[in-house]
């Protein structure tokens, strides 16, 4: 039976050290999904999604979330809006979709050594409109939604904790987006909503 060499022992120890250091920092976060929710059926032949939100590169302190807010809204539209008619078109317009970080001032001194402080503020903004043209004898119209949510992360948070905070904020914001937008669509576009 061959004996392990010094080189193989060091290599094995290095791999164990990397695994021990890298493991806890990896946050496995599921993307926001509305696949289990029933569709909102509309008497339209087509619904297109148009993204007019600012590109990530132009937003200050943009978050590095695994799923962008714009992608979450596009996923919502694909899952919840169903064109079930033979004529007419609608547009789901993404007007704002951002998740930004803002550094907060923290206190120094002895107290700060023993207590985690909020060090970053995460702010989520979601604004969208469903706009439809005239369909038969039904005039066109629109329904809007605007959501803003924020939370903080502490200076002792790991990368995984920060990722989970971003994902949780996006999930909470999109749940409220779903609730409000469906209610607004059913109210303001009622003649086009099918059973």
């Amino acid at each position: 039976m061959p004996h392990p060499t010094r080189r193989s022992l060091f290599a094995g120890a290095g791999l164990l050290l990397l695994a021990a250091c890298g493991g806890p920092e990896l946050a496995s976060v599921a993307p926001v999904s509305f696949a289990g929710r029933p569709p909102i059926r509309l008497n339209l032949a087509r619904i297109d999604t148009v993204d007019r939100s600012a590109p990530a590169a132009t937003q200050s302190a943009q978050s590095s979330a695994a799923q962008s807010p714009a992608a979450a809204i596009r996923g919502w539209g694909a899952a919840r809006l169903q064109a079930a008619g033979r004529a007419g078109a609608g547009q789901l317009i993404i007007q704002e979709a951002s998740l930004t970080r803002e550094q907060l001032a923290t206190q120094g001194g002895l107290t700060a050594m023993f207590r985690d402080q909020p060090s970053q503020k995460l702010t989520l903004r979601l604004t969208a409109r469903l706009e439809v043209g005239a369909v038969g004898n039904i005039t066109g119209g629109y329904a809007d939604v605007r959501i803003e949510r924020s939370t903080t992360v502490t200076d002792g948070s790991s990368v995984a904790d920060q990722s989970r905070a971003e994902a949780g904020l996006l999930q909470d914001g999109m749940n409220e987006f779903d609730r409000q937008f469906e209610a607004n669509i059913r109210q303001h576009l009622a003649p086009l909503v099918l059973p």
Side-chain angles (χ1 to χ4, degrees), residues 87-105:
Q91 281 191 334
L92 171 61
I93 303 167
I94 303 171
Q95 297 167 321
E96 184 175 12
S98 65
L99 177 53
T100 56
R101 293 174 179 267
E102 176 189 350
Q103 290 298 129
L104 302 176

Side-chain angles (χ1 to χ4, degrees), residues 5-6 11 19 38 41 61 69 71 76 78 81 90 103 107 111 130 153 165 167 172 181:
T5 64
R6 186 181 298 182
R41 301 177 70 246
W76 178 89
L81 299 179
Q103 290 298 129
Q107 297 177 345
T111 307
L130 179 59
V153 292
D172 290 346
F181 210 6

Side-chain angles (χ1 to χ4, degrees), residues 48-127:
D48 301 315
T49 300
V50 179
D51 190 348
R52 294 185 185 156
S53 62
T58 67
Q59 296 172 3
S60 61
Q62 180 71 14
S63 160
S64 58
Q67 182 185 28
S68 73
I73 294 176
R74 285 192 298 272
W76 178 89
R80 300 287 339 261
L81 299 179
Q82 183 182 75
R86 295 185 178 183
Q91 281 191 334
L92 171 61
I93 303 167
I94 303 171
Q95 297 167 321
E96 184 175 12
S98 65
L99 177 53
T100 56
R101 293 174 179 267
E102 176 189 350
Q103 290 298 129
L104 302 176
T106 55
Q107 297 177 345
L110 198 57
T111 307
M113 292 177 61
F114 299 102
R115 187 178 63 190
D116 286 340
Q117 304 176 68
S119 62
Q120 291 183 356
K121 180 180 180 183
L122 304 176
T123 302
L124 174 70
R125 293 184 180 92
L126 306 169
T127 306

Side-chain angles (χ1 to χ4, degrees), residues 143-163:
D144 289 322
V145 65
R146 179 177 174 79
I147 303 296
E148 183 169 333
R149 292 280 184 276
S150 64
T151 190
T152 57
V153 292
T154 61
D155 52 5
S157 299
S158 67
V159 173
D161 291 336
Q162 293 175 20
S163 295

Side-chain angles (χ1 to χ4, degrees), residues 37-47 76-87 130 132 138 181-182 185-187 189-195:
R37 300 272 289 128
I40 303 165
R41 301 177 70 246
L42 297 165
N43 190 15
L44 298 169
R46 190 178 82 245
I47 303 171
W76 178 89
R80 300 287 339 261
L81 299 179
Q82 183 182 75
R86 295 185 178 183
L130 179 59
V132 300
I138 301 171
F181 210 6
E182 178 172 7
I185 288 167
R186 292 187 182 281
Q187 178 183 351
L189 298 174
L192 294 169
V193 179
L194 299 173

